[in-house]
Amino acid sequence: MRLAGARLLGDRDFAAVRAVLAADPVASCMVSARVEVAGLDPWRLGGELWAADYRGWGSGRLPGLCFSGPNLIPLRGNASALRSFADRALRRQRLCSSLVGPSEQVLGLWDQLAGEWGPAREVREDQPLMAMDGRTEVAVDPLVRPVRPSEIEQYLPAAIAMFVEEVGADPCAGDGGASYRARVAELIASGRAFARFEGREVVFKAEIGALSRTVGQIQGVWVRPDRRGRGLGRSGTAAVVSHLVNGLGRTASLYVNSFNSPALAAYRAIGFRQVGRYATVLF
C-alpha cells in the first residue's frame, strides 16, 4: 500500500478511534479522557486526531493514530505512519510543549521531527508505564484528601515546586503563571488534586491528571524535601490509588523515569506493575 498522508479525523471516525483507544486503555488514557468528553471535533477536543491514511484504506481499522494538541501523542503507527504524522506536524509552527506516549512511536516520530524541531530540551527515552487495579500493598495515608478550592493558595506553591523539579522549567514563565494556575484550579475543582496538609503547609501532593471511563493517570507526585525518606510518598500515593480503584472503579496508572530508582521502588511496593514503556521529548 502506498502512503497517502495523515488525515484529520472527525466524528464519523469515532468507532475506529474508539477501537484503537480500547485496545490499550492504559497507554491511551490521556487521549481517551478527552475523546470521551469532547468527541473528535477539533474545537471541542482542544486538538486534532490524525490517522495514518493509506490509499485503499476503508476497513475501518486505523493503521496509525496521533493526537496533536498541547502535547503531541502518537499512539499507534509503523515507520510510514510516523512519517506521515511528521509531515503534517511540520506544515505548521510547533505549539505543543512535549511529545509523549508509547516509546516506540514517540522515539520514531522524534527521529522524523528532530531536524526541524530540535534540539529538544530533554529526551526521556525510558519511562516505565505502570498500572494496578487491586488493593494497595502498603497502608494508605488517612490524612491525604482532595484539596478544597479555598486552599489553592496553599497548594499552588507545592504544585509549582513539583513542576520545576520534575520538568526543569518554570510553569509561571511567559504569562506570570495564569495558565498554570487555571489548570491547577481546574484539577482542584474536579476533585482530582490531593494533598496532605500539616497546618497550612503541603507536605505531600499528587493529582489525577487524566481520567477516562476505565483508567486514571496519576501525576505530579511530590513530597516536601525536608519530609522525604519517611514513607509519605508511598502512603500518600496509595491513598490516591485507593480513591481511583475503590472509589471510582478505575485502573490506576502512572509513568516514571527509569533512572528514578526511589520512585520505582515506592510504586512497586504499593502494587504497581509495569505494563508498557513511555518516552517523552520536552521542548
Side-chain angles (χ1 to χ4, degrees):
M1 293 186 290
R2 188 160 65 88
L3 183 67
R7 179 170 67 86
L8 176 64
L9 298 175
D11 284 335
R12 64 189 177 89
D13 303 297
F14 188 81
V17 170
R18 183 171 56 187
V20 174
L21 300 179
D24 193 344
V26 175
S28 66
C29 177
M30 287 186 285
V31 177
S32 294
R34 287 177 171 268
V35 169
E36 289 169 3
V37 171
L40 303 188
D41 177 78
W43 187 84
R44 297 194 307 269
L45 188 62
E48 298 179 346
L49 271 173
W50 304 337
D53 203 7
Y54 294 86
R55 296 187 188 279
W57 175 75
S59 65
R61 181 181 182 277
L62 299 178
L65 183 66
C66 182
F67 172 76
S68 175
N71 303 299
L72 190 62
I73 308 174
L75 289 176
R76 172 185 285 182
N78 59 18
S80 294
L82 297 176
R83 187 161 59 250
S84 74
F85 296 150
D87 289 343
R88 189 172 185 109
L90 291 173
R91 294 175 196 166
R92 63 187 74 180
Q93 181 182 4
R94 178 185 64 79
L95 297 176
C96 60
S97 62
S98 70
L99 173 57
V100 60
S103 60
E104 180 180 356
Q105 281 68 42
V106 166
L107 298 177
L109 183 54
W110 180 237
D111 283 344
Q112 301 288 331
L113 294 171
E116 295 290 332
W117 283 8
R121 182 162 55 83
E122 186 178 355
V123 179
R124 300 177 177 180
E125 298 185 351
D126 186 5
Q127 298 176 303
L129 178 65
M130 311 183 83
M132 62 177 292
D133 56 11
R135 292 177 59 88
T136 62
E137 297 178 16
V138 301
V140 305
D141 186 340
L143 298 181
V144 170
R145 58 169 176 80
V147 179
R148 305 182 187 104
S150 62
E151 294 171 321
I152 188 170
E153 299 300 338
Q154 290 76 50
Y155 184 80
L156 190 59
I160 292 171
M162 176 281 305
F163 192 98
V164 171
E165 185 175 331
E166 172 63 23
V167 181
D170 182 358
C172 299
D175 64 357
S179 59
Y180 186 68
R181 181 188 178 95
R183 171 58 177 161
V184 171
E186 177 188 3
L187 288 168
I188 292 174
S190 62
R192 288 158 49 196
F194 296 80
R196 172 173 172 154
F197 288 86
E198 293 187 355
R200 293 175 60 84
E201 296 288 325
V202 173
V203 297
F204 166 85
K205 67 162 290 292
E207 296 147 3
I208 302 170
L211 185 66
S212 75
R213 292 193 181 105
T214 58
V215 179
Q217 189 177 87
I218 298 171
Q219 67 176 28
V221 177
W222 178 87
V223 176
R224 199 173 71 186
D226 65 339
R227 299 299 304 275
R228 292 174 185 174
R230 306 183 190 183
L232 287 178
R234 292 189 186 194
S235 60
T237 303
V240 181
V241 169
S242 181
H243 176 80
L244 272 169
V245 174
N246 301 320
L248 300 179
R250 293 338 196 254
T251 294
S253 75
L254 52 79
Y255 61 100
V256 59
N257 294 315
S258 61
F259 56 78
N260 192 344
S261 299
L264 276 169
Y267 297 144
R268 287 171 178 150
I270 292 167
F272 280 98
R273 297 294 178 264
Q274 185 169 350
V275 297
R277 186 163 72 103
Y278 259 28
T280 302
V281 179
L282 295 169
F283 300 115

